[in-house]
Amino acid sequence: MTARSDVGETVTTLLIADDDEVTRSGLRTLLAAQPGIEVVGEAADGVEAVERARRLRPDVVLMDVRMPRRNGIEATRQLLAESAESAESADSTVPPKVVVITTFENDDYVTAALSAGAAGFVLKRLPVRQIAEAVRVVAAGEAILFPTALRRMVAARPLDSAAALPRAALTGREEEVLRLMATGLSNPEIAESLTVSLETVKTHVGNVLTKLGAQNRTHAVVIAYESGLVVPGFTG
């Protein structure tokens, strides 16, 4: 879980799940050397990822999608489902954030993983400092969105969650906020764009997630693209 180091720096704990030992070891070495990140464990498949996340309780799981025994989509779905169940009991725990890490922007599994509750995705070819920043941002409660890549993936592989938008009865302002979320804007940036308070934006975002039944901001944006509320070329 997130802690502070002796010098007051916020430390994000990380579990790396990837079936390729060389990739996993390289990520561990490189990310452990980044400021503010502590790699607490590794997993070679989705089953191990769930088991070790339960035991180690990392802030973030860096999750490959194509793994044996259980893929990253199912592992993500199980992790978040278990956390939702524990939230209803006395043994409530904060669920880890999941960041999908993949080789290709058009990976068939990525949008499914986002709909399963992943907070975002990064590409394995990115410089390690960018992957590390993605881990920190997600741990802080934001989402990692790459609107152009996400649009391409959704267009190529639409998902059933698009049906959630017509049933949601979003207000005009909530739709406007969702469109701005889809461009990758943070809450403060949305507040500035709409000339409203940050608390007002947070309220709208919360209403959007609740009405859509979305796991997080990223899932809501996937639904927005799939439904046609946001179309390719939209920039806000």
Side-chain angles (χ1 to χ4, degrees), residues 160-230:
D160 292 339
S161 57
L165 189 60
R167 296 195 306 267
L170 298 181
T171 66
R173 179 62 93 179
E174 288 164 355
E175 287 192 3
E176 192 173 11
V177 167
L178 179 55
R179 287 191 179 96
L180 292 175
M181 287 165 59
T183 69
L185 294 188
S186 66
N187 285 353
E189 289 168 333
I190 294 173
E192 182 177 357
S193 175
L194 298 178
T195 319
V196 297
S197 71
L198 180 58
E199 288 305 313
T200 296
V201 171
K202 289 180 178 178
T203 297
H204 288 316
V205 170
N207 289 342
V208 167
L209 298 187
T210 298
K211 289 182 178 181
L212 293 181
Q215 297 273 5
N216 50 41
R217 293 168 69 99
T218 308
H219 186 192
V221 170
V222 170
I223 294 172
Y225 279 122
E226 291 172 345
S227 68
L229 178 68
V230 178

Side-chain angles (χ1 to χ4, degrees), residues 91-175:
D91 185 30
S92 179
T93 58
V94 177
K97 306 293 195 307
V98 176
V99 176
V100 173
I101 185 164
T102 183
T103 304
F104 303 107
E105 290 182 3
N106 63 346
D107 193 313
D108 287 344
Y109 293 116
V110 174
T111 45
L114 296 178
S115 288
F121 72 96
V122 294
L123 303 176
K124 290 183 180 180
R125 61 177 168 78
L126 289 177
V128 67
R129 59 180 176 76
Q130 291 186 30
I131 297 175
E133 181 61 17
V135 169
R136 296 189 199 98
V137 168
V138 165
E142 292 292 337
I144 295 298
L145 298 176
F146 297 90
T148 301
L150 189 56
R151 282 197 297 269
R152 285 203 300 269
M153 288 190 296
V154 168
R157 189 181 178 88
L159 300 176
D160 292 339
S161 57
L165 189 60
R167 296 195 306 267
L170 298 181
T171 66
R173 179 62 93 179
E174 288 164 355
E175 287 192 3

Side-chain angles (χ1 to χ4, degrees), residues 15-20 24 42-53 61-72 74-76 79:
L15 173 69
I16 299 172
D18 196 298
D19 63 325
D20 185 87
R24 195 171 65 247
E42 300 176 18
D45 57 55
V47 173
E48 282 190 356
V50 172
E51 292 173 347
R52 294 184 182 179
V61 178
L62 193 60
M63 185 85 76
D64 190 20
V65 287
R66 301 185 181 188
M67 295 186 291
R69 294 210 291 169
R70 182 178 298 144
N71 63 40
E74 293 305 320
T76 297
L79 271 177

Side-chain angles (χ1 to χ4, degrees), residues 20-86:
D20 185 87
E21 184 176 358
V22 174
T23 298
R24 195 171 65 247
S25 177
L27 284 170
R28 177 165 194 152
T29 299
L30 293 170
L31 288 170
Q34 294 295 305
I37 292 180
E38 179 186 357
V39 180
V40 295
E42 300 176 18
D45 57 55
V47 173
E48 282 190 356
V50 172
E51 292 173 347
R52 294 184 182 179
R54 280 194 204 118
R55 177 166 52 87
L56 299 171
R57 296 187 179 183
D59 297 313
V60 178
V61 178
L62 193 60
M63 185 85 76
D64 190 20
V65 287
R66 301 185 181 188
M67 295 186 291
R69 294 210 291 169
R70 182 178 298 144
N71 63 40
I73 301 167
E74 293 305 320
T76 297
R77 186 173 288 116
Q78 183 177 353
L79 271 177
L80 297 180
E82 289 182 357
S83 298
E85 289 173 4
S86 70

